[in-house]
Amino acid sequence: MIAPHPFSVPPAADRVHLRLLETSDLHVHIFPYDYYTDRPIDTAGLARTATLIAALRRDVANALLFDNGDFLQGNPMGDYIAHERGLRPGELHPAIAAMNAIGYDAATLGNHDFNYGLDFLLNAIAGARFPVVSANLLPGPLAPPGLTRLPRHALLDRSVTDGAGRRHRLRIGVIGFLPPQIAIWDRRHLEGRAEGGDIVSAARELVPRMRRDGADLVVALAHSGIGEPTHVARQENACLPLARIEGIDAILSGHQHQALPGPDFAGIAGVDTETGSIHGKPTVMPGFWGSHLGVIDLLLERAATGWRVAEHRSSIHAIATRRSDRSAEPLVGSDPAVLSAAARAHAETLAYTRRPVGRTEIPLHSYFALVAENASVKIVADAQRWYVARKLKSTRHEGLPLLSAAAPFKAGGHGGPDYYTDVPAGDIAIRNVADLYLYPNMVRAVRVSGAELRGWLERSAGIFNRIRPGATDQLLLDPDFPCYNFDVIDGLEYRIDPSQPPRYGPHGRLLNPHASRIADLSWNGRAVTDGMEFVIATNSFRAAGGGGFPGTGPDAVILEAPVTNRDVILRYIARRGSVAPRTVPTWRFADLPGTTVLFDTGPAARRHLGAVERLAPDPAGTSPDGFARFRISL
């Protein structure tokens, strides 16, 4: 815990210590439990974070608690409530029930809160005993009434105590922002009903209005991270230019599942990773799944023109730490009130996820999915192609080559060394299928040219750092590239040459238009030419343009199926009873003699080295973050 008064001078008369507390990217992690592995965990869960909240509230006279969005979707409990059981009349969503039990002051929405549809979202947040604000969520012509009533900002009138014990009235303006890309990522739910506006433009419009309406302090709940240094239209991660908006006093950020203060954003101009500020403005980002609580301490000083921030300090507080062997050690226990609020949903989720659906004859894991063909990705591709082939029968697209794009969703990265799919051989339950496919995406198919197909693969190949031929022990993976954007397109054969520059950056920006990492691209033994045409089975996020892949977008979609990709995988396994996905040759690295790279993966990968004998991975110790490190000769 931090000191009650972390300032150079303590609060006194007309000086108020105000503490802002933040959670973000909870993704329905209420219990400290991993439904995929069916065991308790110590590194996640709002129930644990709530214990920190209570302690840090007790330390000060004045505190407010906010959530920064992405609380409705992200684990099997969210899927069970949305797809299997639904919300009964008058029933609280377990995430909202837990947040009510803790006593939040306000919240905003994240992009994943729309994954189950706008009606589900509005029904869920109707039970919140706190305002939910979203400044750049704009109603469309078909917007439901609940959306038009959703406030863009709120003014919270609070009575606060200064350092001399005197009470003051403080009006706190709260404004929320979400990524404008929701209109692309959840087009099937939002088209004609809602869209995302520009974050910075909304702030420029509304913050002065909030000040005119008497806000003494403006807090921005930005479900947005740290990206481009200056404002660009429809910016996803806009906190750097947002911090320059006059009138915003503090930024509670998120979306990127990282931490600030801390080293995650080291070296970025304008970001002070030690004090937790952007362009001198206090900012915090508290990890994900309740792993941390974000704290901004403000010393407010009353002047002739009103209250001003005289000093500030940002900090994050973890619910667990890592021992020397990288196992988790809890730092706090669970709050009984939060456990009670979600106890029924927790029990029902366990019963749901434990239902058997079939068997797998081989392990399905993602430890090497970023360096070789992989069975956990292959089974997704097989199921998608099986379903789409049936739907395209007797259509004008039936005769085209049918491919299937799939990516590993759990492959380390910011999720850490335990964040991998790991389904052992044997019985498969619903929880295992959810482990293979995390998101409630819907099945889609797109029609692409050979040139667009090659561009799609170039976008995926950006996950690799540029490797210098003949050099040794170079880090292979770009840590800023999300693994869910590493699509492997099943049905092709190709090589990836990481010695070439990437055509696209980690988030889809075109860097080198003429760069080519994809070599020897062929289908059915024939070289793929630009004029050839293909159908790709994929998901609604990718088909709508998520990730900025060539060949995607609404105009490319030829099939919009009414089922989720996960349901298709369930059906595929149930129909067969037993599966053993065969990892046929699809892609490999180009030969770079005398060149070695270092590949980081989960420690449990050591049990599965036989699955990648062709690569001959050589153990090379442990990374500073606790990943198992392997040396691979290219």
Side-chain angles (χ1 to χ4, degrees):
M1 302 303 173
I2 63 176
H5 305 304
F7 307 116
S8 60
V9 293
D14 291 332
R15 286 199 187 124
V16 170
H17 177 192
L18 180 65
R19 177 166 287 171
L20 309 178
L21 306 173
E22 181 203 7
T23 55
S24 186
D25 297 275
L26 292 172
H27 291 285
V28 212
H29 287 78
I30 303 168
F31 269 64
Y33 201 88
D34 185 342
Y35 296 104
Y36 302 114
T37 60
D38 202 2
R39 64 172 185 257
I41 53 173
D42 294 314
T43 56
L46 180 59
R48 298 285 177 90
T49 326
T51 302
L52 285 178
I53 291 168
L56 285 161
R57 275 173 164 166
R58 286 194 299 267
D59 275 349
V60 296
N62 315 295
L64 291 94
L65 173 63
F66 304 101
D67 184 79
N68 200 42
D70 273 8
F71 48 79
L72 286 181
Q73 181 277 338
N75 74 5
M77 180 184 285
D79 295 333
Y80 169 72
I81 296 296
H83 291 309
E84 185 75 7
R85 198 196 71 182
L87 280 175
R88 304 178 180 111
E91 180 188 31
L92 288 177
H93 189 285
I96 297 297
M99 293 165 77
N100 283 346
I102 297 169
Y104 278 74
D105 289 276
T108 194
L109 300 172
N111 50 293
H112 283 292
D113 294 319
F114 296 85
N115 288 168
Y116 301 131
L118 195 53
D119 295 329
F120 181 86
L121 165 61
L122 294 172
N123 190 23
I125 64 175
R129 295 201 295 262
F130 48 85
V132 178
V133 299
S134 188
N136 65 320
L137 176 61
L138 306 177
L142 304 178
L147 179 62
T148 60
R149 292 193 295 267
L150 193 72
R152 301 180 74 186
H153 58 84
L155 297 173
L156 309 179
D157 289 315
R158 297 291 187 265
S159 177
V160 296
T161 304
D162 69 14
R166 298 189 305 191
R167 306 291 291 176
H168 300 270
R169 174 188 169 279
L170 192 68
R171 175 164 284 188
I172 300 155
V174 181
I175 186 168
F177 306 99
L178 48 70
Q181 289 74 18
I182 57 166
I184 298 173
W185 299 338
D186 270 306
R187 171 177 167 265
R188 70 189 189 279
H189 294 313
L190 300 181
E191 188 171 27
R193 308 184 83 196
E195 62 182 42
D198 185 76
I199 291 174
V200 172
S201 298
R204 287 172 176 162
E205 173 195 354
L206 295 175
V207 170
R209 184 184 305 175
M210 297 167 71
R211 289 292 187 178
R212 289 194 299 269
D213 289 342
D216 299 300
L217 182 79
V218 172
V219 177
L221 309 183
H223 193 85
S224 180
I226 297 170
E228 299 94 339
T230 57
H231 177 223
V232 296
R234 300 182 60 78
Q235 197 166 5
E236 178 182 352
N237 293 302
C239 283
L240 279 164
L242 190 66
R244 293 192 181 276
I245 301 291
E246 186 177 353
I248 293 178
D249 294 291
I251 297 176
L252 307 183
S253 64
H255 183 53
Q256 290 175 311
H257 288 209
Q258 293 179 270
L260 182 73
D264 288 349
F265 299 100
I268 297 177
V271 179
D272 190 322
T273 58
E274 292 191 10
T275 65
S277 64
I278 299 178
H279 301 311
K281 198 158 288 184
T283 308
V284 72
M285 186 185 292
F288 57 99
W289 302 353
S291 63
H292 296 75
L293 178 67
V295 180
I296 294 179
D297 284 287
L298 302 174
L299 180 62
L300 305 179
E301 189 173 71
R302 192 170 190 176
T305 56
W307 293 95
R308 70 177 190 89
V309 177
E311 290 188 43
H312 58 82
R313 174 177 172 178
S314 302
S315 56
I316 55 172
H317 301 263
I319 64 172
T321 188
R322 293 284 180 181
R323 302 182 181 96
S324 58
D325 63 356
R326 300 302 299 173
S327 63
E329 179 180 355
L331 298 175
V332 290
S334 292
D335 184 319
V338 175
L339 295 179
S340 177
R344 180 177 177 182
H346 174 65
E348 292 176 351
T349 301
L350 289 176
Y352 164 69
T353 59
R354 290 168 177 169
R355 292 182 201 166
V357 296
R359 290 182 56 82
T360 175
E361 301 303 319
I362 62 173
L364 305 173
H365 60 83
S366 61
Y367 295 114
F368 295 100
L370 301 180
V371 292
E373 298 93 351
N374 181 263
S376 74
V377 176
K378 174 67 172 169
I379 192 171
V380 173
D382 287 347
Q384 290 175 170
R385 180 158 38 201
W386 164 75
Y387 179 86
V388 169
R390 295 164 61 214
K391 291 297 180 182
L392 293 184
K393 281 188 178 298
S394 302
T395 73
R396 63 189 179 91
H397 310 290
E398 182 180 8
L400 291 174
L402 176 58
L403 311 174
S404 188
F409 292 129
K410 294 173 65 179
H414 297 315
D418 300 324
Y419 192 60
Y420 289 85
T421 294
D422 195 342
V423 180
D427 291 341
I428 298 179
I430 287 176
R431 68 180 178 85
N432 302 127
V433 178
D435 200 14
L436 289 165
Y437 206 100
L438 298 184
Y439 301 106
N441 297 326
M442 310 293 282
V443 174
R444 297 288 184 267
V446 296
R447 184 165 175 163
V448 302
S449 68
E452 290 167 332
L453 176 62
R454 185 179 295 275
W456 191 312
L457 293 172
E458 290 288 352
R459 170 73 177 93
S460 294
I463 195 171
F464 303 113
N465 291 323
R466 189 173 186 183
I467 301 303
R468 187 159 54 89
T472 58
D473 291 359
Q474 304 165 83
L475 289 177
L476 178 64
L477 300 179
D478 181 343
D480 292 328
F481 193 107
C483 61
Y484 57 76
N485 279 336
F486 181 64
D487 276 0
V488 172
I489 301 188
D490 193 62
L492 300 171
E493 289 190 46
Y494 54 96
R495 292 184 301 132
I496 297 177
D497 184 354
S499 72
Q500 299 300 311
R503 185 178 296 184
Y504 296 93
H507 303 289
R509 187 164 66 93
L510 185 62
L511 300 178
N512 303 290
H514 303 295
S516 179
R517 286 183 161 186
I518 303 302
D520 300 333
L521 177 60
S522 66
W523 168 77
N524 204 23
R526 295 170 51 195
V528 172
T529 62
D530 288 353
M532 294 174 71
E533 287 194 293
F534 299 85
V535 172
I536 302 179
T538 182
N539 60 65
S540 52
F541 171 79
R542 182 71 74 240
F549 280 63
T552 62
D555 293 342
V557 176
I558 61 169
L559 172 68
E560 293 190 355
V563 297
T564 67
N565 297 70
R566 188 183 300 159
D567 284 340
V568 165
I569 299 167
L570 284 169
R571 294 181 193 181
Y572 179 80
I573 295 172
R575 180 176 288 260
R576 281 157 177 74
S578 180
V579 294
R582 187 167 61 94
T583 53
V584 298
T586 301
W587 73 277
R588 63 182 178 86
F589 291 113
D591 293 331
L592 297 174
T595 307
T596 64
V597 294
L598 297 177
F599 168 64
D600 292 345
T601 184
R606 299 184 181 102
R607 302 196 303 262
H608 300 285
L609 294 180
V612 285
E613 288 181 352
R614 175 174 59 80
L615 289 177
D618 180 28
T622 303
S623 80
D625 297 327
F627 289 87
R629 178 162 283 179
F630 291 90
R631 181 177 292 106
I632 297 174
S633 297
L634 298 181

